[in-house]
Structure formats: C-alpha cells, structure tokens
Amino acid sequence: MCPAVSVIMPVYNGEKFLRTAVDSVLWQTFEDWELVVVDDASTDSTPDILADYRDPRIRVLRNETNRKPAACANRGLAVASGRYIARLDADDVWLP
C-alpha cells in the first residue's frame, strides 16, 4: 500500500546535519510516510550516514554526478508514491 506522505530530501555533503534531519522524520507521531533521500554525489560521509538507517520507509537514491537541488527534488518526485508530498532539506528539523 502507498504511504499517505512522501517526504523528498535532496542532500549534498550534508554530514553535519543529515542525521538530525532524518531522525526528525523518524520521530514523527504520524507514521504513514516514506522518506526519499536523493544524495547528489556527496563526497563526505553522507552515504555512510544514510547506509546506517534500516527503516524500510527510507529510500536512498544516489546521483553519480552533482545535479543540484531542483534536479534532485524532481528525481525524488519521480519515484515518490505518497498521496501528498512534503519537502525537507538536509539541514532542517521537524518537530514531532
């Protein structure tokens, strides 16, 4: 079944804030979501941080070359399956 909300998160070299941003989605009281993270060819520890997550609601796409935030958001939208779309940047935090 498709989730109610698809959260689209582009990220490029986001190691400083990424874990906090992803965790803020995981801590939501509303649980019917998917998180589509588009890693824009990061050269820091972003891929390792994302690999640590085992929640099946989190999908990670990785660009081979840097394509910038708008292209990443569009790539995430192309695979999103939720009825609604939410955007979150890798340095944002959502309250539960």
Side-chain angles (χ1 to χ4, degrees):
M1 185 180 282
C2 295
V5 178
S6 292
V7 180
I8 309 300
M9 178 192 295
V11 58
Y12 174 70
N13 288 347
E15 68 184 2
K16 185 173 180 181
F17 301 108
L18 179 61
R19 192 173 304 277
T20 302
V22 172
D23 288 348
S24 78
V25 177
L26 289 168
W27 296 334
Q28 292 302 299
T29 56
F30 181 80
E31 297 181 351
D32 190 13
W33 51 262
E34 68 175 344
L35 172 60
V36 181
V37 182
V38 182
D39 177 4
D40 200 14
S42 294
T43 58
D44 66 356
S45 65
T46 292
D48 298 325
I49 292 168
L50 293 170
D52 286 344
Y53 289 96
R54 300 286 182 237
D55 192 302
R57 298 172 295 177
I58 299 174
R59 294 197 289 166
V60 177
L61 308 174
R62 180 162 167 83
N63 293 339
E64 291 184 26
T65 60
N66 187 273
R67 297 176 54 200
K68 307 299 180 205
C72 292
N74 286 335
R75 184 172 183 208
L77 283 169
V79 302
S81 60
R83 181 173 180 187
Y84 302 102
I85 301 295
R87 267 277 285 115
L88 181 70
D89 289 321
D91 61 352
D92 289 343
V93 176
W94 282 352
L95 298 175

